Amino acid sequence: MKKIITLLLITLPFWSMAQEKLNRLVQERESLHQQWRQSEGQKSGIFGNRTKKDMIQTNEWMERIIQKDNQIMSELKMLGEIQRVEVIHEKDDYKYIAQKQEQDIGRLKRALAEMENNVQEKREVKRTYEWTTLIFFLSTITLGILYFRKLRT
């Protein structure tokens, strides 16, 4: 359990920094997209048509957007890798905890079996004592009755 908490506390700053970087990249992409839309609307040619320069500028904005998308994708891949590693570590920790608990359960079962054996032995000793007492009591009564009969006769 301590390992899980430690791992979580160690990776939490990296996770938040990576998330902040991803948010920043998404905002930059939105800004680039707005600028691309503006360049798409520019028509500096004769009779309000688009010129070759306008189209080149629009394509440059599109290239910047694609580069930003690639940066976002690589950041998402890194975040996915971090999550996968965290899941693997948590899985290993849970396996360790489960194995330890199984060992503890095994020890407890053995201790319980030993205690049951001890209780059974004590019951047998007690039962033997009870039978011995009963036999002694019955023999004493029988001998007493025989003695009193002999005295009367």
Side-chain angles (χ1 to χ4, degrees):
M1 189 66 170
K2 289 180 182 179
K3 289 182 181 181
I4 294 172
I5 293 171
T6 305
L7 180 65
L8 185 63
L9 290 176
I10 289 173
T11 58
L12 190 61
F14 295 120
W15 177 260
S16 63
M17 288 189 311
Q19 190 67 37
E20 288 175 16
K21 184 177 180 182
L22 183 63
N23 290 339
R24 184 180 46 82
L25 288 173
V26 169
Q27 288 174 351
E28 289 174 4
R29 190 210 184 273
E30 288 175 6
S31 171
L32 289 173
H33 187 260
Q34 288 174 354
Q35 292 171 350
W36 171 77
R37 279 193 175 170
Q38 289 174 356
S39 74
E40 186 72 23
Q42 288 181 350
K43 297 178 181 178
S44 60
I46 302 176
F47 304 114
N49 292 326
R50 294 189 58 154
T51 62
K52 184 177 180 181
K53 185 178 178 183
D54 292 338
M55 289 186 202
I56 290 173
Q57 190 177 25
T58 301
N59 284 340
E60 287 174 353
W61 283 112
M62 188 57 71
E63 286 178 21
R64 290 183 196 131
I65 290 172
I66 291 171
Q67 288 173 351
K68 194 59 67 176
D69 286 345
N70 289 338
Q71 287 177 349
I72 290 170
M73 291 302 292
S74 64
E75 192 67 26
L76 285 172
K77 285 179 185 177
M78 185 183 72
L79 285 173
E81 186 66 24
I82 288 172
Q83 283 181 333
R84 188 180 68 77
V85 168
E86 285 179 2
V87 166
I88 289 172
H89 286 297
E90 285 179 11
K91 181 180 170 185
D92 291 341
D93 288 343
Y94 286 131
K95 279 183 183 177
Y96 172 76
I97 290 169
Q99 288 173 350
K100 187 170 188 223
Q101 287 179 342
E102 285 177 10
Q103 290 173 350
D104 291 344
I105 289 171
R107 281 191 222 120
L108 289 171
K109 282 182 179 179
R110 285 190 298 275
L112 182 61
E114 278 183 31
M115 293 188 82
E116 285 178 1
N117 287 338
N118 289 341
V119 167
Q120 188 65 28
E121 288 174 5
K122 288 180 181 179
R123 281 184 185 162
E124 290 173 5
V125 168
K126 184 179 176 184
R127 191 67 69 180
T128 304
Y129 177 74
E130 288 172 352
W131 279 108
T132 306
T133 306
L134 179 65
I135 292 171
F136 179 72
F137 177 73
L138 290 176
S139 62
T140 305
I141 289 177
T142 305
L143 288 174
I145 291 172
L146 290 175
Y147 178 73
F148 283 116
R149 277 190 183 171
K150 191 170 186 172
L151 282 177
R152 270 201 238 160
T153 50

